[in-house]
PDB file of all heavy atoms in Angstrom:
ATOM      1  N   SER O  33     -44.421  -3.303   0.428  1.00  0.00           N
ATOM      2  CA  SER O  33     -44.410  -2.062   1.209  1.00  0.00           C
ATOM      3  C   SER O  33     -45.911  -1.622   1.388  1.00  0.00           C
ATOM      4  O   SER O  33     -46.356  -1.164   2.373  1.00  0.00           O
ATOM      5  CB  SER O  33     -43.639  -0.990   0.539  1.00  0.00           C
ATOM      6  OG  SER O  33     -42.335  -1.332   0.434  1.00  0.00           O
ATOM      7  N   ALA O  34     -46.653  -1.749   0.228  1.00  0.00           N
ATOM      8  CA  ALA O  34     -48.003  -1.349   0.280  1.00  0.00           C
ATOM      9  C   ALA O  34     -48.858  -2.255   1.217  1.00  0.00           C
ATOM     10  O   ALA O  34     -49.772  -1.766   1.967  1.00  0.00           O
ATOM     11  CB  ALA O  34     -48.697  -1.534  -1.118  1.00  0.00           C
ATOM     12  N   ALA O  35     -48.639  -3.563   1.287  1.00  0.00           N
ATOM     13  CA  ALA O  35     -49.252  -4.483   2.209  1.00  0.00           C
ATOM     14  C   ALA O  35     -49.081  -4.030   3.735  1.00  0.00           C
ATOM     15  O   ALA O  35     -50.021  -4.056   4.506  1.00  0.00           O
ATOM     16  CB  ALA O  35     -48.774  -5.868   2.093  1.00  0.00           C
ATOM     17  N   LYS O  36     -47.841  -3.603   3.932  1.00  0.00           N
ATOM     18  CA  LYS O  36     -47.492  -3.253   5.411  1.00  0.00           C
ATOM     19  C   LYS O  36     -48.169  -2.045   5.669  1.00  0.00           C
ATOM     20  O   LYS O  36     -48.766  -1.690   6.827  1.00  0.00           O
ATOM     21  CB  LYS O  36     -46.023  -3.056   5.562  1.00  0.00           C
ATOM     22  CG  LYS O  36     -45.221  -4.313   5.599  1.00  0.00           C
ATOM     23  CD  LYS O  36     -43.802  -4.212   6.089  1.00  0.00           C
ATOM     24  CE  LYS O  36     -42.999  -3.653   4.935  1.00  0.00           C
ATOM     25  NZ  LYS O  36     -41.479  -3.585   5.393  1.00  0.00           N
ATOM     26  N   LYS O  37     -48.398  -0.991   4.724  1.00  0.00           N
ATOM     27  CA  LYS O  37     -49.184   0.172   5.038  1.00  0.00           C
ATOM     28  C   LYS O  37     -50.668  -0.107   5.183  1.00  0.00           C
ATOM     29  O   LYS O  37     -51.294   0.564   6.087  1.00  0.00           O
ATOM     30  CB  LYS O  37     -48.860   1.194   3.810  1.00  0.00           C
ATOM     31  CG  LYS O  37     -47.543   1.797   3.862  1.00  0.00           C
ATOM     32  CD  LYS O  37     -47.395   2.822   2.741  1.00  0.00           C
ATOM     33  CE  LYS O  37     -45.974   3.396   2.835  1.00  0.00           C
ATOM     34  NZ  LYS O  37     -45.808   4.515   1.748  1.00  0.00           N
ATOM     35  N   LYS O  38     -51.100  -1.051   4.371  1.00  0.00           N
ATOM     36  CA  LYS O  38     -52.595  -1.417   4.485  1.00  0.00           C
ATOM     37  C   LYS O  38     -52.939  -1.829   5.944  1.00  0.00           C
ATOM     38  O   LYS O  38     -53.928  -1.617   6.525  1.00  0.00           O
ATOM     39  CB  LYS O  38     -52.997  -2.396   3.546  1.00  0.00           C
ATOM     40  CG  LYS O  38     -54.466  -2.701   3.557  1.00  0.00           C
ATOM     41  CD  LYS O  38     -54.729  -3.646   2.463  1.00  0.00           C
ATOM     42  CE  LYS O  38     -56.173  -4.091   2.487  1.00  0.00           C
ATOM     43  NZ  LYS O  38     -56.612  -5.133   1.457  1.00  0.00           N
ATOM     44  N   THR O  39     -52.019  -2.739   6.514  1.00  0.00           N
ATOM     45  CA  THR O  39     -52.304  -3.235   7.808  1.00  0.00           C
ATOM     46  C   THR O  39     -51.862  -2.277   8.846  1.00  0.00           C
ATOM     47  O   THR O  39     -52.044  -2.570  10.073  1.00  0.00           O
ATOM     48  CB  THR O  39     -51.504  -4.616   7.961  1.00  0.00           C
ATOM     49  OG1 THR O  39     -50.015  -4.255   7.797  1.00  0.00           O
ATOM     50  CG2 THR O  39     -51.849  -5.604   6.892  1.00  0.00           C
ATOM     51  N   GLU O  40     -51.141  -1.209   8.488  1.00  0.00           N
ATOM     52  CA  GLU O  40     -50.743  -0.160   9.497  1.00  0.00           C
ATOM     53  C   GLU O  40     -49.837  -0.781  10.507  1.00  0.00           C
ATOM     54  O   GLU O  40     -49.718  -0.433  11.641  1.00  0.00           O
ATOM     55  CB  GLU O  40     -51.940   0.520  10.229  1.00  0.00           C
ATOM     56  CG  GLU O  40     -52.927   1.195   9.262  1.00  0.00           C
ATOM     57  CD  GLU O  40     -54.057   1.907  10.103  1.00  0.00           C
ATOM     58  OE1 GLU O  40     -54.202   1.621  11.224  1.00  0.00           O
ATOM     59  OE2 GLU O  40     -54.802   2.699   9.391  1.00  0.00           O
ATOM     60  N   ARG O  41     -49.080  -1.742  10.030  1.00  0.00           N
ATOM     61  CA  ARG O  41     -48.009  -2.376  10.863  1.00  0.00           C
ATOM     62  C   ARG O  41     -46.684  -2.390  10.081  1.00  0.00           C
ATOM     63  O   ARG O  41     -46.208  -3.355   9.542  1.00  0.00           O
ATOM     64  CB  ARG O  41     -48.273  -3.751  11.296  1.00  0.00           C
ATOM     65  CG  ARG O  41     -49.684  -3.900  12.122  1.00  0.00           C
ATOM     66  CD  ARG O  41     -49.998  -5.186  12.638  1.00  0.00           C
ATOM     67  NE  ARG O  41     -49.088  -5.635  13.596  1.00  0.00           N
ATOM     68  CZ  ARG O  41     -49.113  -6.781  14.275  1.00  0.00           C
ATOM     69  NH1 ARG O  41     -50.243  -7.576  14.009  1.00  0.00           N
ATOM     70  NH2 ARG O  41     -48.322  -7.218  15.168  1.00  0.00           N
ATOM     71  N   GLU O  42     -45.962  -1.232  10.123  1.00  0.00           N
ATOM     72  CA  GLU O  42     -44.820  -1.040   9.247  1.00  0.00           C
ATOM     73  C   GLU O  42     -43.630  -1.917   9.681  1.00  0.00           C
ATOM     74  O   GLU O  42     -42.766  -2.138   8.880  1.00  0.00           O
ATOM     75  CB  GLU O  42     -44.332   0.473   9.362  1.00  0.00           C
ATOM     76  CG  GLU O  42     -45.357   1.464   8.663  1.00  0.00           C
ATOM     77  CD  GLU O  42     -45.143   1.458   7.160  1.00  0.00           C
ATOM     78  OE1 GLU O  42     -44.065   1.059   6.618  1.00  0.00           O
ATOM     79  OE2 GLU O  42     -46.288   1.690   6.420  1.00  0.00           O
ATOM     80  N   ASN O  43     -43.693  -2.378  10.941  1.00  0.00           N
ATOM     81  CA  ASN O  43     -42.602  -3.165  11.405  1.00  0.00           C
ATOM     82  C   ASN O  43     -42.603  -4.683  11.164  1.00  0.00           C
ATOM     83  O   ASN O  43     -41.825  -5.416  11.507  1.00  0.00           O
ATOM     84  CB  ASN O  43     -42.288  -2.913  13.003  1.00  0.00           C
ATOM     85  CG  ASN O  43     -43.584  -3.254  13.766  1.00  0.00           C
ATOM     86  OD1 ASN O  43     -44.551  -3.298  13.207  1.00  0.00           O
ATOM     87  ND2 ASN O  43     -43.312  -3.415  14.978  1.00  0.00           N
ATOM     88  N   MET O  44     -43.726  -5.081  10.519  1.00  0.00           N
ATOM     89  CA  MET O  44     -43.811  -6.568  10.238  1.00  0.00           C
ATOM     90  C   MET O  44     -43.127  -6.857   8.909  1.00  0.00           C
ATOM     91  O   MET O  44     -42.842  -5.857   8.098  1.00  0.00           O
ATOM     92  CB  MET O  44     -45.317  -6.927  10.200  1.00  0.00           C
ATOM     93  CG  MET O  44     -46.087  -6.715   8.988  1.00  0.00           C
ATOM     94  SD  MET O  44     -47.794  -7.234   9.088  1.00  0.00           S
ATOM     95  CE  MET O  44     -48.425  -6.940   7.522  1.00  0.00           C
ATOM     96  N   ASP O  45     -42.696  -8.133   8.730  1.00  0.00           N
ATOM     97  CA  ASP O  45     -41.975  -8.485   7.557  1.00  0.00           C
ATOM     98  C   ASP O  45     -42.962  -9.178   6.586  1.00  0.00           C
ATOM     99  O   ASP O  45     -43.673 -10.171   6.874  1.00  0.00           O
ATOM    100  CB  ASP O  45     -40.931  -9.540   7.840  1.00  0.00           C
ATOM    101  CG  ASP O  45     -39.943  -9.870   6.816  1.00  0.00           C
ATOM    102  OD1 ASP O  45     -40.137  -9.241   5.760  1.00  0.00           O
ATOM    103  OD2 ASP O  45     -39.082 -10.758   6.933  1.00  0.00           O
ATOM    104  N   VAL O  46     -43.075  -8.565   5.304  1.00  0.00           N
ATOM    105  CA  VAL O  46     -43.982  -9.089   4.240  1.00  0.00           C
ATOM    106  C   VAL O  46     -43.156  -9.496   3.120  1.00  0.00           C
ATOM    107  O   VAL O  46     -42.231  -8.773   2.675  1.00  0.00           O
ATOM    108  CB  VAL O  46     -45.046  -7.990   3.900  1.00  0.00           C
ATOM    109  CG1 VAL O  46     -45.899  -8.590   2.710  1.00  0.00           C
ATOM    110  CG2 VAL O  46     -45.965  -7.681   5.172  1.00  0.00           C
ATOM    111  N   ARG O  47     -43.520 -10.591   2.496  1.00  0.00           N
ATOM    112  CA  ARG O  47     -42.902 -11.079   1.307  1.00  0.00           C
ATOM    113  C   ARG O  47     -44.031 -11.352   0.328  1.00  0.00           C
ATOM    114  O   ARG O  47     -44.980 -11.973   0.515  1.00  0.00           O
ATOM    115  CB  ARG O  47     -42.206 -12.401   1.436  1.00  0.00           C
ATOM    116  CG  ARG O  47     -41.309 -12.901   0.266  1.00  0.00           C
ATOM    117  CD  ARG O  47     -40.528 -14.107   0.636  1.00  0.00           C
ATOM    118  NE  ARG O  47     -41.220 -15.261   0.811  1.00  0.00           N
ATOM    119  CZ  ARG O  47     -41.486 -16.160  -0.222  1.00  0.00           C
ATOM    120  NH1 ARG O  47     -41.078 -16.001  -1.385  1.00  0.00           N
ATOM    121  NH2 ARG O  47     -42.273 -17.371  -0.011  1.00  0.00           N
TER     122      ARG O  47
END
Side-chain angles (χ1 to χ4, degrees):
S33 298
K36 286 194 284 186
K37 286 185 178 178
K38 182 180 178 181
T39 61
E40 298 181 352
R41 299 184 69 174
E42 291 285 333
N43 56 342
M44 74 178 189
D45 188 4
V46 174
R47 184 173 75 95

